[in-house]
Amino acid sequence: MARVTPASHPPTPYELDLALELAKAGSPAAAPDPRVTPQTYEHDDFLITLWTYHPPTPPPAPSPSAYARALKHLHTGMRQITLPTPHFLDRVATAQDLLSNPTHTPALPTADRTLLLDTLRTLSDLIVSRGAPEQLLHGEPHPGNLLSTSGGLLFIDFETCCRGPIEFDLAHTPEQVAPYYPDIDPVLLQYCRLLVLAMITTWRWDRDDHLPNGTHLRTTWLTQLRQELTHANLPL
């Protein structure tokens, strides 16, 4: 399978190395195609990486328990790997930069901009204050980055890898998954879910965002964030 990106948006340099290390460790991760040298190839104005193709399996979707087992297995493998990756707070800072620069988020009303900035700052502080152990994470292990294959569940798309508490990864999964993942801090998970919601809402207000249905999602998620913050009763 060829993954093609514009040269102006190069893939994360460590993604191939990480996928190779995870595959060697037997982790549930899609690997580069072994028939070619694992590197980024250039053609015209595009960058290409080549990955092993896995034919999709038909529904149903993986059960929450299987999802949790696969993610825990992935985390176990990631703890054995040392690579220079960003911290999850670096991703938060990127969202804060978007919000702090109205030229990049011109359609965002001032009151909503303030809410998102306050939410990102407060939740970052609350998450750090929990003092949870940190490790290498997938970064976005949501259902869109999980393949159901004949050989089992495999995670793809490691360009968002970062370091942080495992609850940050779990915050990207369906709510039914977390109860099957052992030794989770439920308060920390709640903070991480709210943080992730604030971050993905911010991305949708980026003037350069081209996600299909992004205009609808940004208002829907902003409403959802307000409701969930009210129930959480955080000191914003």
Side-chain angles (χ1 to χ4, degrees), residues 72-118:
K72 181 172 176 54
H73 190 185
L74 181 71
H75 286 158
T76 299
M78 284 184 152
R79 284 196 290 272
Q80 316 306 316
I81 297 173
T82 302
L83 283 175
T85 56
H87 193 265
F88 83 98
L89 289 180
D90 295 330
R91 296 180 60 190
V92 177
T94 301
Q96 291 171 319
D97 288 343
L98 274 176
L99 295 169
S100 298
N101 192 338
T103 61
H104 293 303
T105 49
L108 183 61
T110 300
D112 295 330
R113 185 184 307 279
T114 300
L115 173 69
L116 287 168
L117 280 168
D118 289 346

Side-chain angles (χ1 to χ4, degrees), residues 109-142:
T110 300
D112 295 330
R113 185 184 307 279
T114 300
L115 173 69
L116 287 168
L117 280 168
D118 289 346
T119 299
L120 291 173
R121 183 188 67 252
T122 299
L123 286 168
S124 295
D125 291 343
L126 288 172
I127 291 170
V128 171
S129 71
R130 299 295 291 183
E134 297 186 350
Q135 69 157 80
L136 184 62
L137 304 173
H138 180 287
E140 289 185 354
H142 54 67

Side-chain angles (χ1 to χ4, degrees), residues 5-120:
T5 58
S8 57
H9 294 84
T12 304
Y14 53 76
E15 184 176 13
L16 285 169
D17 292 337
L18 176 58
L20 282 170
E21 291 298 318
L22 288 170
K24 290 177 183 177
S27 296
D33 193 309
R35 297 172 296 175
V36 296
T37 302
Q39 66 182 53
T40 300
Y41 297 86
E42 297 185 29
H43 182 73
D44 294 334
D45 292 327
F46 297 96
L47 301 175
I48 304 165
T49 51
L50 300 174
W51 300 80
T52 300
Y53 174 71
H54 297 276
T57 59
S63 67
S65 59
Y67 200 136
R69 285 194 302 271
L71 185 57
K72 181 172 176 54
H73 190 185
L74 181 71
H75 286 158
T76 299
M78 284 184 152
R79 284 196 290 272
Q80 316 306 316
I81 297 173
T82 302
L83 283 175
T85 56
H87 193 265
F88 83 98
L89 289 180
D90 295 330
R91 296 180 60 190
V92 177
T94 301
Q96 291 171 319
D97 288 343
L98 274 176
L99 295 169
S100 298
N101 192 338
T103 61
H104 293 303
T105 49
L108 183 61
T110 300
D112 295 330
R113 185 184 307 279
T114 300
L115 173 69
L116 287 168
L117 280 168
D118 289 346
T119 299
L120 291 173

